[in-house]
Amino acid sequence: HVPPPAATGSDEEDDSDASTKPIRSEKKKNPVSLFQTGGDPPKEKKTKKKAPPKAAESEEETLETPQKNSNKKGKGKKSKKSKEERAPSPVIEVDNLEEFVLQPAPQGVTIKCRVTRDKKGMDRGLYPTYYLHLDNDKKVFLLAGRKRKKSKTSNYLISIDPTDLSRGGENFIGKLRSNLMGTKFTVFDNGANPDRANADWSNVRQELSAVVYETNVLGFKGPRKMTVIIPGMNADNERVPIRPRNDNDGLLMRWQNKNMDNVIELHNKAPVWNDETQSYVLNFHGRVTHASVKNFQIVHSSDPDYIVMQFGRVADDAFTMDYNYPLCAVQAFAIALSSFDGKLACE
């Protein structure tokens, strides 16, 4: 029996709380309700609410590798699970790329992607291009991202065209900007700067997410602490638009001032120390094969079992990135890009 690589996590982590699992799953909140902040839910909400958790849960199970069954005693869903495992992953239709990458993942569907880093070419060592593809048979291209060269802070442009990463082009779909320290990041869509707002402010860029990294006592050598701040969802499961009028009104300032109206705080799941491998581990259910400080899972503190997003290394320049409702591809990709940034990197 070969011990699994550190990053994939050994079964230790799951066993440790197997006894509490059944209790927790009975009380489980519907993942969708964790992200709702805006407005009064419409009347028909109740019927809608029943379905998503089931789908989300079975989806989580399919992420498991078959031989891991032994560590899930608490769930008591084995027979269903083996059936689930053979089911093909849902077909994800990307008819309109621009729409797709800004749309929240459908409830109960994990969108599995792959990030590749291209360091070839003139200054790619310093400014690699990152590509996001669906991790399916067709390997559909979704996004490309690259750091801008002349920017004082880290500033990544995100594009829906792998060859056009210019700020002015019509393929520009979003950007990721860091503070001077390189510890806080904000993700914008492709709307206008507030200086160029139209009368009703509707053309102004939305903030899609913010990421805050905390150094721990080991500097960035040990597991990092990440806080991810995203806009909440309204009763129709659409993202509440957050269009700051100035820098003091953005997601970071709202979070710092504890003004959490229509804002959701997520964080990375703390890895567990494993004596056998002498490393910190997380269970990525076979989706991550290489140990790396860049591997992470993002969760809501009210339901640490619902993985909003996970990211981890599978080869030197290849990573898997899986995201769930309520994230969209641009949010997840930008969060992943922030984790590559130079000031944080210690590898």
Side-chain angles (χ1 to χ4, degrees), residues 21 40 77 86 88 184 218 309:
K21 277 251 158 83
D40 294 323
K77 280 204 186 134
R86 284 188 285 276
K184 293 178 180 165
L218 305 165
M309 167 185 179

Side-chain angles (χ1 to χ4, degrees), residues 222-259:
R224 303 171 179 171
K225 280 182 78 178
M226 292 167 74
T227 301
V228 173
I229 304 127
I230 57 170
M233 306 300 277
N234 67 17
D236 297 327
N237 299 315
E238 291 159 352
R239 200 165 36 243
V240 176
I242 299 221
R243 292 193 170 90
R245 307 208 159 208
N246 54 52
D247 285 345
N248 297 323
D249 183 32
L251 288 170
L252 285 169
M253 287 308 286
R254 292 182 190 206
W255 175 75
Q256 273 162 311
N257 298 332
K258 307 221 175 348
N259 164 20

Side-chain angles (χ1 to χ4, degrees), residues 155-183:
N155 203 329
Y156 292 79
L157 289 185
I158 299 172
S159 167
I160 49 173
D161 181 329
T163 57
D164 170 23
L165 281 149
S166 62
R167 174 74 176 79
E170 55 197 40
N171 297 305
F172 168 68
I173 191 101
K175 71 172 191 175
L176 168 75
R177 189 180 73 192
S178 83
N179 64 350
L180 279 168
M181 291 278 296
T183 51

Side-chain angles (χ1 to χ4, degrees), residues 277-323:
T277 56
Q278 288 291 299
S279 60
Y280 287 99
V281 297
L282 277 170
N283 191 347
F284 286 90
H285 303 297
R287 288 286 288 157
V288 175
T289 52
H290 286 48
S292 164
V293 292
K294 293 192 175 79
N295 299 348
F296 62 81
Q297 289 176 323
I298 300 293
V299 293
H300 190 294
S301 51
S302 302
D303 185 356
D305 293 337
Y306 180 75
I307 308 287
V308 178
M309 167 185 179
Q310 69 177 22
F311 178 77
R313 173 172 275 171
V314 289
D316 277 352
D317 287 309
F319 304 79
T320 49
M321 182 193 98
D322 302 343
Y323 67 95

